[in-house]
Amino acid sequence: MTQISSDISKAIELLNKEEVVAIPTETVYGLAGNIYSEKAIRKIFEVKQRPLFNPLIVHIPSIDQLEKVAREFPIKAQRLAEAFWPGSLTLILPKRLNIPEIVTGGKDTVGVRIPNHPVTLSLLKQLSFPLAAPSANPFNRISPTSSDHVKAYFENTLPMVLEGGECKNGIESTIIGFENNEVILYRLGAISIEDIEKIIGKIQIRNTSETTPNAPGMLAKHYAPRTKMYLLDDVDEFIENNESKRIGVLRFQGKLKTTRFEHIEILSKSGDLKEAASKLYSTLHKLDSLNLDIIVAERFPDVGLGKSINDRLERAIK
Ligand code: TXA
Ligand code: MG
């Protein structure tokens, strides 16, 4: 039985015993283990059915712990950390060699962030090691934004989910790396490109697909519901042409012209992309549970967090 509990000391006990515990963050829930325990890290990969070449993000409680995991901290990385940590930004930095290979997929770099969640910050502060944690979903499934999502995925394979409520941002961290003095975005996420560029100027976007050598986790197919899904610019016409199907609609704001759908989810009545991003995965989880024939999502405005939302929707239809 997987226990959902707010008992941080129970989580500490399990993590000290090289167990894997699901933890809340402000982005999504993670499957956490001691970075120095090969046993715990192996279990993370096993439970998640994740290929071993795909590295994990390391979570630390404060900036003074960074030197434990990274051997360089470029000036632009420092400015980003100052602006966004604790928060939804993962920095790819040259790693310390004592971090086991299995954590970093054999790479010379480590992905690291300080999450912005009171429960997990308190947990990290009480541990003597950082936590490696990928999103707490099986490979290729929608990331979890509540403890119930995690429990549904891993019932009986995890001892505990540390309760932390609904994830505030609801979409994974933005991943930024540094190559030859260039700043490169490897994954769109909870912090927009615009907000990053306000701090350090123009960056390169390389948020592509499985061919990307530096973020092997950016597989084209990802974040997918089980229900057949489409992403369209205009869903009205599609619905009119598919009358016989039970259709669920996912949309940013406002009403459709047609009413021939079974179910509709509007992510932000007031047109706030941050609110929409925070509800994206929980809404996909819900739509996926309704036994619909089809989910149709309408493309979001291509600015700010709308870009991150469109990115996840594109991966969900692959
Ligand atoms: O918001 C988040 O980042 C969540 C929470 C739990 O912190 N974690 C998360 O982890 O999304 P995961 O494993 O689902 O995605 C991590 C991504 C993968 O695409 C992986 O390839 C990339 O980060 N990554 C990790 N370390 C890397 C490295 N050294 N170089 C390049 N990419 C790296
Ligand atoms: Mg993930």
Side-chain angles (χ1 to χ4, degrees), residues 27 50 54-55 57 59 109 113 134-135 172-173 175 187 214 217:
T27 59
R50 176 174 180 138
N54 194 353
I57 294 174
H59 298 71
T109 51
R113 79 179 188 103
S135 53
E172 293 86 347
S173 61
I175 303 183
R187 178 173 74 181
N214 279 301

Side-chain angles (χ1 to χ4, degrees), residues 108-268:
D108 185 38
T109 51
V110 60
V112 58
R113 79 179 188 103
I114 305 178
N116 189 14
H117 192 291
V119 172
T120 288
L121 282 174
S122 164
L123 170 70
L124 284 164
K125 282 181 185 140
Q126 294 175 67
L127 293 169
S128 59
F129 44 82
L131 292 175
S135 53
N137 51 286
F139 191 55
N140 280 347
R141 303 290 305 279
I142 307 164
S143 297
T145 55
S146 74
S147 52
D148 287 336
H149 295 157
V150 183
K151 189 172 156 89
Y153 277 146
F154 298 112
E155 184 67 273
N156 299 326
T157 53
L158 275 189
M160 175 179 178
V161 183
L162 182 58
E163 180 60 78
E166 298 265 333
C167 303
K168 258 194 350 254
N169 293 349
I171 193 163
E172 293 86 347
S173 61
T174 300
I175 303 183
I176 298 278
F178 308 86
E179 289 175 29
N180 311 319
N181 273 328
E182 297 256 29
V183 181
I184 297 159
L185 180 144
Y186 296 123
R187 178 173 74 181
L188 288 162
I191 297 177
S192 68
I193 297 171
E194 290 89 333
D195 283 351
I196 293 199
E197 290 188 334
K198 270 183 218 150
I199 308 293
I200 47 162
K202 204 82 191 137
I203 60 173
Q204 265 192 60
I205 314 298
R206 211 186 284 164
N207 175 69
T208 46
S209 63
E210 60 261 79
T211 54
T212 304
N214 279 301
M218 294 310 295
L219 303 174
K221 181 178 166 58
H222 219 112
Y223 315 102
R226 293 235 154 117
T227 312
K228 176 76 190 145
M229 187 165 154
Y230 295 88
L231 175 61
L232 304 169
D233 290 319
D234 179 359
V235 299
D236 272 301
E237 195 187 326
F238 179 92
I239 295 170
E240 290 291 333
N241 291 337
N242 287 275
E243 266 187 59
S244 60
K245 297 277 195 327
R246 298 178 65 237
I247 297 178
V249 181
L250 175 74
R251 194 161 202 249
F252 182 29
Q253 62 179 139
K255 281 204 178 120
L256 289 176
K257 293 191 205 89
T258 180
T259 52
R260 291 173 191 267
F261 48 80
E262 178 82 19
H263 187 93
I264 188 162
E265 291 284 341
I266 306 287
L267 290 189
S268 176

Side-chain angles (χ1 to χ4, degrees), residues 10 12-19 39:
K10 174 87 185 145
I12 293 172
E13 194 186 309
L14 287 164
L15 289 162
N16 280 333
K17 284 199 294 203
E18 302 184 273
E19 262 297 344
K39 180 178 161 205

